[in-house]
Amino acid sequence: MEKKNLDWGNLGFEYIPTDQRYVSKYRHGAWDDGAMTADATVQMSECAGVLQYCQACFEGLKAYTTEDGHIVTFRPDLNAERMEASCKRLEMPVFPKERFIDAVEKVVKGNAAYVPPFGSGATMYIRPFMYANGPVIGVAPAEEYEFRAFATPVGPYFKGGAKPLTIRISDFDRAAPHGTGNIKAGLNYAMSLHAIVDAHKQGFDENMYLDPATRTKVEETGGANFLFVTKDNTVVTPKSDSILPSITRRSLMIVAEKYLGLKVEQREVYLDEVKDFAECGLCGTAAVISPVGKIVDHGKEICMPSGMTEMGPVTKKLYDTLTGIQMGEIEAPEGWIHVIE
């Protein structure tokens, strides 16, 4: 298929409308068959549940052109399973896993001309989401919902390479104890917007959120999980019931152990031990890993030994290996690469 005439090497990480998107409606207790549409607009009641009580969840994954010319996605089954958990927690109807994957396939195929070519540094970002569009005025789940998925070509999250970030310890909490921190609910991200805007005003790139119960343990940022490397090259990620289970983070832990032969740990990480780590990174779909060079705790600086100029050596190996798997340059574990065409 002939590609769109886009400047692939200079795309930003921003929304560009594409030709087709998938829509399925839930009414009278069942999902309809779903269909592709060229219409990018959404219409709903002024009393829609999503507008009144924030019943909404979403996912994010990417499609890639591999070295041998195939278009693939990375572990979409895990996105489907995570959306299922989100729906159950928010009292929304589950969109079946097989239909989720089918919708992703249809959206990628319907917009194949927008999938960036191999080596361009760009990818296709896919956004499945669900929201309550049935009217509801009392505090209760709505009775009607809509599942949609669209795609947009995006450039690398960081232009010119991933320079180490400076982050701060936030005075805000990202999630409540026993709340919705472990699902991908839109309301979680709304909660983080004030904190990130304030962080940027103060000259920081991101926030480090601590556990909401004791504020002594590292949790995550507004949109990424933490990954640490000890001085003896053990890869450590924080463990908490209020952390979103990042698909990228889970994949990186397997890469660390199975591909790089490193020891891995998922455990509680206390703030007072952060100064003892050799490397720190933020992991997620958008950037894979964003290195952290400095953490500021109310004026007290914690400078990572990996420095402020480039990724630490272990973080770089993790990044290169996972992106190599995604792009087809390195053999993937079984089931990780879902071929679209």
Side-chain angles (χ1 to χ4, degrees):
M1 173 179 285
E2 185 177 352
K3 297 293 184 181
K4 294 290 182 178
N5 185 25
L6 298 177
D7 187 1
W8 302 109
N10 288 302
L11 291 178
F13 199 88
E14 56 193 21
Y15 173 68
I16 297 174
T18 52
D19 296 337
Q20 299 286 319
R21 64 272 308 138
Y22 179 92
V23 183
S24 182
K25 301 178 186 296
Y26 182 90
R27 292 175 178 166
H28 309 298
W31 290 102
D32 68 11
D33 292 337
M36 298 293 287
T37 178
D39 189 357
T41 61
V42 171
Q43 291 185 326
M44 67 180 75
S45 165
E46 64 184 352
C47 202
V50 64
L51 301 178
Q52 305 307 319
Y53 303 119
C54 299
Q55 256 191 302
C57 61
F58 68 96
E59 279 298 323
L61 65 158
K62 287 181 175 180
Y64 313 85
T65 300
T66 60
E67 190 174 26
D68 60 4
H70 291 295
I71 296 176
V72 306
T73 55
F74 183 71
R75 309 190 78 181
D77 55 316
L78 297 189
N79 293 95
E81 291 169 6
R82 192 168 62 182
M83 177 169 266
E84 178 178 347
S86 299
C87 289
K88 289 178 178 178
R89 180 64 176 83
L90 295 173
E91 289 297 330
M92 301 169 71
V94 169
F95 196 69
K97 179 177 178 178
E98 64 277 6
R99 291 198 58 190
F100 179 102
I101 296 172
D102 179 65
V104 169
E105 289 182 353
K106 283 183 167 65
V107 169
V108 175
K109 288 179 179 178
N111 298 290
Y114 289 92
V115 179
F118 175 79
S120 65
T123 56
M124 172 177 275
Y125 187 83
I126 306 155
R127 171 52 59 85
F129 63 107
M130 189 191 301
Y131 60 94
N133 63 351
V136 55
I137 197 66
V139 181
E143 294 185 357
E144 296 181 2
Y145 298 83
E146 192 161 288
F147 171 90
R148 298 177 70 98
F150 65 84
T152 184
V154 295
Y157 201 72
F158 295 101
K159 286 289 187 183
K163 300 299 183 184
L165 308 175
T166 298
I167 66 176
R168 69 171 183 182
I169 308 298
S170 180
D171 290 327
F172 298 99
D173 289 331
R174 175 189 158 271
H178 313 294
T180 59
N182 63 341
I183 64 168
K184 207 164 177 67
L187 59 91
N188 293 341
Y189 295 80
M191 292 275 285
S192 72
L193 292 178
H194 174 69
I196 190 60
V197 169
D198 183 67
H200 289 166
K201 286 180 180 178
Q202 303 301 322
F204 301 100
D205 297 301
E206 253 294 0
N207 291 290
M208 173 184 280
Y209 292 106
L210 305 179
D211 73 291
T214 70
R215 297 189 57 78
T216 61
K217 291 172 279 191
V218 176
E219 291 246 311
E220 61 173 292
T221 69
N225 282 188
F226 276 101
L227 179 149
F228 297 99
V229 181
T230 68
K231 292 174 181 177
D232 64 356
N233 291 342
T234 298
V235 180
V236 180
T237 59
K239 183 178 182 179
S240 166
D241 290 338
S242 53
I243 291 177
L244 184 74
S246 164
I247 293 163
T248 303
R249 185 258 300 163
R250 284 182 275 170
S251 302
L252 285 167
M253 296 297 274
I254 294 172
V255 166
E257 184 175 23
K258 303 299 184 183
Y259 283 72
L260 303 181
L262 302 174
K263 182 180 178 182
V264 300
E265 295 178 352
Q266 185 183 11
R267 60 172 175 81
E268 292 181 335
V269 175
Y270 285 85
L271 177 60
D272 60 10
E273 67 175 303
V274 169
K275 66 183 186 302
D276 300 322
F277 289 117
E279 301 175 37
C280 175
L282 311 180
C283 50
T285 299
V288 183
I289 307 178
S290 306
V292 174
K294 185 187 298 183
I295 301 165
V296 180
D297 184 3
H298 299 86
K300 178 183 176 182
E301 294 187 351
I302 303 170
C303 297
M304 307 307 297
S306 50
M308 290 296 296
T309 58
E310 58 187 7
M311 283 187 177
V314 174
T315 303
K316 184 69 165 58
K317 287 180 182 178
L318 288 168
Y319 175 87
D320 288 344
T321 306
L322 185 59
T323 54
I325 289 170
Q326 292 171 333
M327 293 296 180
E329 299 169 293
I330 298 173
E331 186 175 353
E334 184 177 355
W336 278 27
I337 302 300
H338 185 81
V339 179
I340 304 292
E341 62 178 44

